Amino acid sequence: MGTNVFDSTNQQSEISNSIMNNGSDPLIRLNSVTKVFLTDEVETHALSGIHLDIRPGEYVSIAGPSGCGKTTLLSILGLLDTPSDGSYSLKGHEVANLSFADRARIRNREIGFIFQSFNLIGDLSVFENVELPLTYRGMAASERKSFVTGALERVGMAHRAKHLPSQLSGGQQQRVAVARALAGRPAILLADEPTGNLDSRNGEAVMQLLKELHQNGATICMVTHDERFAQHADRTVHLFDGRVVEDRIAA
Amino acid sequence: MNDLRFALRQLRKSPGFTFLALLTLAVGIGMNTAIFSLIQDLFLRGLPFSEPERVVRIYGESKERDLKQMPSSVPKFWHYRDGQTVFSSIAADWGNGFIMTGSGEPIQLLGGNVTANYFELLGIHPILGRNFLPEEESKGDVVMVTENFWRKRFASDPTILGHNITLNGVPTTIIGVLPNLPISWFGRDSEIFVNKPFEPSGITKDRLMRGVSFMRVTARLKPGVSVSQAQAAMPALLQSYKEQHPETADNTWSPYLVSAAEDVTGDLRPAFLTLLAAVSAVLLIACSNVANLLLVRFTGRKREIALRMALGAERRGIVRLFVFESTLVSVIAGMIGLGLALWTVSVVPKLAGQNIPLESGVKLQLPVLIFTLGLSLITGLLMGLYPAWQSSRADLVDGLKEGGRGTSGSRGQHRFRRGLVAGQVGLSVVLLAGAGMLVSSFVRLSRQEPGFRSERVWAGGIGLPPAQYPDPATRGRFAERLQTELQTAPGVEAAAIADAVPLSGNSSRSPYARADGNPVPVNQRQLGLTRSVSPGYFRTLGISLLSGRDFTEQDKVDSRLVVILSNSTAKKLFPNENPIGHQILFGTDNGNGLPAEVIGVVGDVRSQQLSKANDVEFYRPWPQRSAPFLNVVVRSATKPEATAGIVRAALNKIDNGLPILQPSTLDAIVTQSLGQERLTMTLLGVFAGIALLLAVVGIYGAVAYTVEQRTGEIGVRMALGAQTHDVLNLVVRQGMNPVILGLIFGLAGTFAVGRLLAAQLYQISPYDPLLLGATAIVLAVAALLACLIPARRATLVDPIQALRSE
Ligand SMILES: Nc1ncnc2c1ncn2[C@@H]1O[C@H](COP(=O)(O)OP(=O)(O)OP(=O)(O)O)[C@@H](O)[C@H]1O
Ligand SMILES: [Mg+2]
């Protein structure tokens, strides 16, 4: 595939349409999504008219300068936040009309989050942290155990299952966070600067993990500043000031 | 000074904390001060006598006949007085009523007859005039009045001495004015004291010498003689009395001594111990609430601590700074509490009614002030020390280590906080259960069927001056005429005369025995509650006649002596017989008592206490057993309050020189009889309510704080798909954990203190499972609500915000 540079939203939507027409149905479709924050009478346009289609199995990296709206975009994709305007359909379903409980359920079943700052729960052991989303799913204990063990083995942290997060290094904590995100076998993995708090060696290890996940069929959206890490993805979306300024699909 | 200014500034900076802490502590310290002040009044201050610890009362008792606190007879008193060696002096008195005439309307006054040495023994000196002289004891018509009397009725006339007033028809000379007297010793409204203590009207010389017991004996121990030493001297004294007066009925009661203080308030002690325990618990709860707040507050000042330490402050200095702050809070709260206490103390006498001898009028006493100050300081230290110590820990390593999302503060702090909550809940359970028991006991008591119907019955007393009504015949005629007048008055359904009204606290007892068989000697007989009533008394009070007949006008002074028995009496004395027609011996006349024929049986009446059934109660016809004082009971068709006028009008037709004493309704008398129970219940109820409130605030505070600390964690959980109920669950479960622990401790504690309460309970066990269960549920529900509010807030956490605010 070649390289497409779009500087107009119209063109972008045409292309998006053509992608959809040509290939499989998109897993995620953002249409003209806008997010406006109102603080102290000041409107911040975090996102303006975003069109974005992500097909199943894609590995998308999102890049752009600080404050350009990357986290906001990921929050909307992860159903943590709602667009001010525009529409978002997930697996062909419009999410705008979902109830609070439905959104929580989808977050729980379809989406895995990896945060920049790990966000492990300090009072829970490694095992319990990974188990948490499965508990909310109402999964039986025995099944949970095999899921959790599987996920921990995958990130190479099974031997630390009983430890508390504070007893782990930063890289280890992030691997646990990855395990937690993938334990429930979500359709989409959302990662907001997963290597931001890690040194390059640990960062590389986490990237390797994501790559393996992708190779096994996971759809991944990852925010990263780091050019080297962005290269792991097969598509890079560049944001600037709340707009998509470049959407490049790697060869 | 610098520290003080700094602490004050810190408090002003957070008005929310300051307000909550001050309020909580002020209530805690205030309630304690109030109870302490009552205890100080009732138990600690002591009677205003000279060397009150040397003053004792001498009573008689007979364990096998269940007789306690028996007063003394005239011959016994004389014998003690002349034979004893352990007292520096010994005196006697008995309560009496007087009608004062000569200055307009006749006035009924209360007071007593005393031996000449009575006030001197107590060390009470007249503020004007002099005490009685020994030679006046049985001769002089002289009177001592109280300061109140002097002020009210003589406008503090300095020339009052030598004035004559007419008391019970006898001109009497005022010789002295006494300072106002403690009501715990003299009763309420005592104004008049005369001597002639050995000539009670209405009792024949013969009966007097056979041991009619009506005198309270007071003695002053010789210096260096202890109560038990004096007690040891009493049996020999009784033995010689028995030998010299074999004819007396009271020569088998063993004498015993009670200290003046014990005599006056001894029976109130359990109730006040309970209340003291309750307020201490309230204070503990208040303290732990504030300690919790302080922990949060001090922990939140980590930066300030670090800075101070960086500038070279020692840990001791920082602890001191914080403790200073907490003590400042508690001392300010103590001052507010003092005001609260003064108000409470002014309300209590109204609540207590006649049953607790509290002087009215609030005075701030030095011991109370010292108590409050001391309590405030201790409170401040107690609750400030641990939080200060904890938060001044330089846990730099802990602080810098990235522990991931979750709770803040050390594990020790967590345990401390949870312990506080559990403790609060435990104490509240005990208080709430205790209050619940007292309330349900009180409800049962007020619902207790007394055996008579009190509604629409008016009651009032009339004293018959011995000068005009010297004998049973004149008193009998008076009663009959008054009753006739009343019964024909409009609006009156029924009217009767009795020597005492049920539950009024007045009663008398006579020795009795079945006349058939071999009656035991008089001095070994049981004493039975005996009430003198006119015909129609049972109908007026709605007491049912079970068999036989009521008294009639034909049961006169000199006709055949008759008696009506209560049902229990009939069962006890004539278990398998019809009692009607049998003879019972009453009194001491002839050395064997006089036989009276049983003519009827009536239903049982709880005439002494609502909580206790009388095993024996006799009714005698008023003319055959009259006294110089009688009660009128009138059942009216409408409100009993209007009856006073009817009685007054009826009385005026017979003798317009007789005032009506203590007009009241039977309903009020019944209510009044539960005054102490009502006071204890109300106070404990209030304390339990406060405890519950404080505990709920405490639980709320702890949970709200946790939620605030865990906003980030909750945000993560929500991002991972936690539903609303998952979050609610998480917070409530964590919040309720120490509550459950506290409930268990509390129920165990209730079992432990159940014994303390058991004696104050009526028809309910301190281990009543229903009540304990209900208490636990009330607390659990209140705690749940306290958890739900912050839990609800937790569900509103915006995960993005939570994740963003790293
Ligand atoms: N809750 C909010 N209220 C107000 N403004 C917000 C809020 N959240 C984000 N913004 C604003 O929206 C814009 C986009 O924020 P966002 O966090 O998406 O940026 P980002 O691309 O993730 O930046 P970074 O690389 O620094 O993480 C910023 O200008 C930010 O200040
Ligand atoms: Mg960001």
Side-chain angles (χ1 to χ4, degrees), chain A residues 37 39 44 46 65-72 193 225, chain B residues 801 804:
Chain A
F37 291 107
T39 36
T44 311
S66 179
C68 69
K70 304 182 294 290
T71 297
T72 307
E193 298 186 46
H225 283 296
Chain B
Q801 291 294 350
R804 189 178 283 277

Side-chain angles (χ1 to χ4, degrees), chain B residues 206-279:
Chain B
D206 175 62
R207 283 185 194 169
L208 215 57
M209 292 315 290
R210 286 188 189 279
V212 177
S213 301
F214 60 94
M215 304 184 101
R216 275 181 307 205
V217 179
T218 306
R220 176 173 288 275
L221 297 168
K222 278 185 177 164
V225 175
S226 72
V227 174
S228 52
Q229 280 167 335
Q231 175 69 60
M234 297 310 290
L237 218 46
L238 181 77
Q239 188 52 38
S240 56
Y241 172 64
K242 196 170 178 176
E243 282 156 13
Q244 289 170 35
H245 298 272
E247 77 290 353
T248 51
D250 65 339
N251 61 21
T252 52
W253 305 339
S254 12
Y256 67 97
L257 307 189
V258 188
S259 73
E262 168 77 26
D263 188 48
V264 164
T265 50
D267 50 336
L268 293 174
R269 203 169 293 152
F272 275 83
L273 272 178
T274 310
L275 291 176
L276 186 65
V279 283

Side-chain angles (χ1 to χ4, degrees), chain B residues 99 168 201 462-467 469 474-475 478 622 627-630 658:
Chain B
I99 298 168
N168 291 346
S201 58
I462 297 172
L464 297 176
Y469 301 92
T474 48
R475 294 195 291 261
F478 172 84
W622 166 262
F629 184 84
L630 57 80
L658 297 179

Side-chain angles (χ1 to χ4, degrees), chain B residues 574-700:
Chain B
F574 305 95
N576 298 310
E577 296 162 81
N578 180 0
I580 311 272
H582 281 278
Q583 304 274 327
I584 296 176
L585 294 168
F586 283 105
T588 54
D589 290 19
N590 300 338
N592 193 33
L594 299 176
E597 184 185 324
V598 178
I599 58 159
V601 177
V602 294
D604 283 338
V605 171
R606 301 207 160 186
S607 57
Q608 300 293 90
Q609 289 171 29
L610 267 178
S611 57
K612 228 175 91 227
N614 302 323
D615 61 338
V616 167
E617 186 155 23
F618 298 105
Y619 297 92
R620 302 287 317 281
W622 166 262
Q624 294 180 0
R625 185 180 173 273
S626 64
F629 184 84
L630 57 80
N631 280 279
V632 184
V633 282
V634 179
R635 178 179 294 278
S636 59
T638 54
K639 279 191 173 167
E641 284 78 8
T643 309
I646 298 172
V647 177
R648 182 70 262 170
L651 194 54
N652 281 346
K653 290 189 197 167
I654 305 162
D655 184 341
N656 62 7
L658 297 179
I660 296 173
L661 184 64
Q662 293 177 327
S664 179
T665 65
L666 215 45
D667 277 336
I669 290 169
V670 174
T671 306
Q672 183 68 252
S673 77
L674 295 176
Q676 196 213 310
E677 286 86 351
R678 180 174 302 105
L679 178 75
T680 323
M681 170 193 77
T682 310
L683 287 182
L684 198 63
V686 167
F687 298 153
I690 292 172
L692 179 65
L693 199 72
L694 290 181
V696 165
V697 169
I699 295 166
Y700 169 83

Side-chain angles (χ1 to χ4, degrees), chain B residues 329-352:
Chain B
V329 171
S330 69
V331 167
I332 298 175
M335 290 192 275
I336 303 171
L338 197 62
L340 208 66
L342 288 180
W343 176 79
T344 312
V345 167
S346 75
V347 175
V348 164
K350 287 172 209 150
L351 264 176

Side-chain angles (χ1 to χ4, degrees), chain B residues 39-109:
Chain B
I39 287 174
Q40 153 79 9
D41 260 7
L42 286 171
F43 304 100
L44 302 180
R45 188 174 42 179
L47 289 151
F49 303 156
S50 71
E51 295 181 74
E53 63 286 349
R54 282 175 56 205
V55 177
V56 295
R57 277 228 159 112
I58 306 175
Y59 290 111
E61 69 178 347
S62 164
K63 294 227 166 72
E64 61 275 20
R65 279 176 283 169
D66 198 25
L67 301 175
K68 282 190 291 276
Q69 277 206 314
M70 298 305 292
S72 181
S73 66
V74 170
K76 190 186 263 182
F77 172 72
W78 285 341
H79 187 83
Y80 285 177
R81 184 187 61 190
D82 300 339
Q84 64 82 20
T85 54
V86 285
F87 307 117
S88 54
S89 62
I90 178 164
D93 77 304
W94 43 279
N96 200 357
F98 303 89
I99 298 168
M100 185 170 80
T101 47
S103 48
E105 281 277 296
I107 304 164
Q108 178 81 48
L109 297 170

